[in-house]
């Protein structure tokens, strides 16, 4: 009983870390059961733990083929982990509380604030209600559209199952697919409906629920918040620039864009630009792409999605803040100004901290795996960044990882989903406010 009360006294970041870890362990146990696999065999615990971590952290990296290895029971467990991990276990707990008409306590509101990456508790329960409604509505629409398309290729019942699975997976930016043989969406590389629906699900899931609420209320309010403006402009720019760069790099590559018609080239360029925003689905084989494209994709994966979304990475707002700091310094200005608003120093320090912690994590894990895995350096960097950004794109080395490599990548996915800063707050000692300030000193920079 005393341990229970100790847990109640934990900080919100620590509770989030503990909650996600417990869900992963439970999911791993369920995936090791004989009836979770098609042939009745038990999945080794390390592989089950890796799969559960990938699903809960909405990544999509897999060591066994989801479509052919797991039974319907196993796939339902993976889908449940994706939904819980994408929306957040506290969001799901709040949904249950709202259904049962239970009051949300102050402690629970603080945890929700941390989980949704909000600066205030004001309206947090109302936001959670919207998150649940928007998510389920978008997933349902995506499932219906997928079902209509898949019904041309398979029996209707199977098409419905495939439609729901992939709609939930793509909206939550998980990247899991059940087409089998690690194919993802490569068979639909030139299909407009599958490509467009998938991209819209990925984009909506990666924008963040605050931005979606802002967009839906735009007709009434006639204005967008600064956060929404930054997210939308950065997302649009990254997608457009990414599509152009990928189109240029891969246009003459006969193993990727070169063999497609012009419609397929354009669709594929945009899809491969959208999916590194932590989605993980792909219509082209990344093992056949040029090294320049692979490295550019690594950059997109590192940036990732937006705050309060189902995606990972350092986030679009962090990236824009860092770019704004560089521009301000070059122009000799003291303030970072975005859409006629000045950013506070705390926002800048937080962006810098997140970027440095994330970069340090990716570099450390890449160096570590370079000594334990017999793979090319670029492939290891790609896989590491994909795990950190909870993307799920692969250079083909995940199933070949050593026991140690699987553990390291699983930890990287966990850190990427929660965010390095949240982990630092959760695992670090409690800090006390300083009672004094040191005199200002000057050092030479650059």
């Amino acid at each position: 009983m005393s341990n229970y009360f100790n847990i109640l006294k934990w900080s919100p970041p620590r509770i989030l870390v503990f909650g996600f870890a417990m869900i992963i362990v439970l999911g791993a146990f369920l995936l090791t059961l004989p009836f979770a696999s098609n042939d009745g065999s038990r999945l080794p615990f390390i592989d089950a733990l890796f799969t559960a971590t990938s699903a809960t952290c909405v990544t999509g990296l897999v060591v066994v083929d989801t479509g052919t290895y797991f039974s319907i029971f196993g796939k339902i467990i993976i889908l449940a982990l994706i939904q819980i991990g994408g929306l957040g276990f506290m969001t799901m707990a709040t949904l249950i509380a709202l259904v049962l008409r239970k009051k949300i306590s102050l402690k629970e509101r603080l945890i929700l604030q941390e989980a949704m990456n909000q600066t205030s508790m004001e309206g947090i329960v109302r936001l959670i209600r919207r998150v649940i409604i928007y998510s389920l509505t978008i997933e349902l629409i995506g499932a219906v559209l997928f079902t209509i398309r898949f019904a041309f290729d398979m029996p209707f019942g199977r098409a419905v199952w495939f439609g729901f699975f992939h709609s939930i997976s793509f909206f939550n930016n998980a990247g899991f697919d059940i087409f089998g043989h690690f194919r993802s969406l490569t068979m639909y590389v030139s299909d407009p409906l599958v490509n467009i629906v998938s991209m819209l699900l990925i984009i909506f899931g990666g924008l963040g629920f605050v931005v979606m609420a802002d967009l839906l209320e735009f007709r009434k309010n006639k204005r967008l918040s600064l956060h929404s403006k930054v997210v939308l402009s950065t997302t649009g720019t990254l997608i457009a620039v990414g599509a152009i760069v990928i189109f240029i790099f891969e246009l003459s590559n006969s193993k990727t864009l070169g063999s497609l018609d012009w419609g397929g080239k354009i669709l594929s360029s945009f899809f491969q630009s959208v999916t590194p925003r932590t989605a993980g689905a792909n219509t082209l084989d990344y093992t056949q792409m040029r090294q320049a494209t692979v490295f550019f994709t690594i950059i997109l994966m590192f940036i990732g999605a937006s705050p309060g979304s189902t995606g990972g990475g350092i986030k679009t707002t962090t990236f824009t803040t860092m770019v704004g700091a560089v521009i301000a310094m070059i122009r000799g200005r003291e303030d970072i100004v975005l859409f006629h608003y000045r950013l506070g120093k705390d926002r800048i320090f937080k962006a810098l901290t997140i970027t440095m912690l994330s970069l340090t994590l990716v570099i450390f894990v890449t160096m570590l795996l370079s000594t334990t895995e017999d793979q090319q350096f670029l492939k290891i960097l790609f896989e590491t960044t994909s795990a950190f950004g909870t993307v799920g794109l692969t250079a083909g080395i995940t199933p070949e990882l050593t026991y140690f490599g699987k553990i390291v990548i699983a930890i990287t996915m966990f850190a990427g989903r929660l965010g390095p800063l949240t982990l630092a707050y959760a695992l670090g000692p409690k800090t006390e406010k300083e009672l004094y300030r040191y005199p200002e000193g000057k050092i030479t920079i650059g």
Side-chain angles (χ1 to χ4, degrees), residues 225-226 229-230 333 335-343:
S225 65
L226 173 63
K229 289 178 181 178
V230 172
R333 296 177 178 174
D335 298 322
I336 300 174
V337 178
L338 301 173
F339 295 98
H340 307 293
Y341 284 94
R342 172 176 56 84
L343 295 187

Side-chain angles (χ1 to χ4, degrees), residues 145-155 158-160 162-163 166 170 177-180 183-199 260-261 263-269 271-272 281-285:
L145 293 174
F146 274 148
T147 299
I148 293 171
R149 175 61 187 87
F150 294 154
F152 288 95
D153 302 327
M154 59 188 75
R158 186 177 172 86
V160 172
F162 271 55
H166 293 98
F170 294 166
D177 74 273
I178 52 175
F179 289 105
R183 290 182 297 173
S184 192
L185 296 176
T186 51
M187 71 289 286
Y188 294 106
V189 61
S190 297
D191 190 295
L193 180 61
V194 173
N195 275 262
I196 292 171
V197 171
S198 299
M199 285 191 285
L260 304 175
D261 58 26
K265 291 183 197 321
I266 294 171
L267 271 178
S268 297
S269 298
F271 194 96
Q272 264 57 234
N282 59 285
T283 57
L284 297 177
D285 186 354

Side-chain angles (χ1 to χ4, degrees), residues 117-190:
N117 204 11
Q118 297 298 295
T119 56
S120 169
M121 280 193 302
E122 184 180 356
I124 192 68
V125 176
R126 186 167 64 251
L127 173 62
I128 295 300
R129 285 199 188 99
R130 291 173 180 170
V131 165
I132 295 166
I133 293 170
Y134 298 163
S135 301
L136 296 181
T137 302
I138 293 171
E139 288 173 352
L140 179 61
I141 293 171
V144 170
L145 293 174
F146 274 148
T147 299
I148 293 171
R149 175 61 187 87
F150 294 154
F152 288 95
D153 302 327
M154 59 188 75
F156 184 74
R158 186 177 172 86
V160 172
W161 166 236
F162 271 55
F164 271 93
F165 187 98
H166 293 98
S167 179
I168 293 172
S169 177
F170 294 166
F171 174 75
N172 287 287
N173 281 212
F176 277 83
D177 74 273
I178 52 175
F179 289 105
H181 308 293
F182 302 101
R183 290 182 297 173
S184 192
L185 296 176
T186 51
M187 71 289 286
Y188 294 106
V189 61
S190 297

Side-chain angles (χ1 to χ4, degrees), residues 66 141 149 187 207 223 394:
T66 310
I141 293 171
R149 175 61 187 87
M187 71 289 286
L207 284 177
R223 61 184 294 273
T394 179

Side-chain angles (χ1 to χ4, degrees), residues 214-244:
D214 248 13
L215 288 173
L216 289 171
E217 295 180 359
F218 180 73
R219 290 182 63 182
K220 182 175 70 174
N221 298 332
K222 301 297 181 184
R223 61 184 294 273
L224 292 173
S225 65
L226 173 63
H227 172 80
S228 295
K229 289 178 181 178
V230 172
V231 167
L232 291 170
S233 59
T234 306
T235 300
T237 302
L238 288 173
I239 291 173
V241 171
I244 293 170

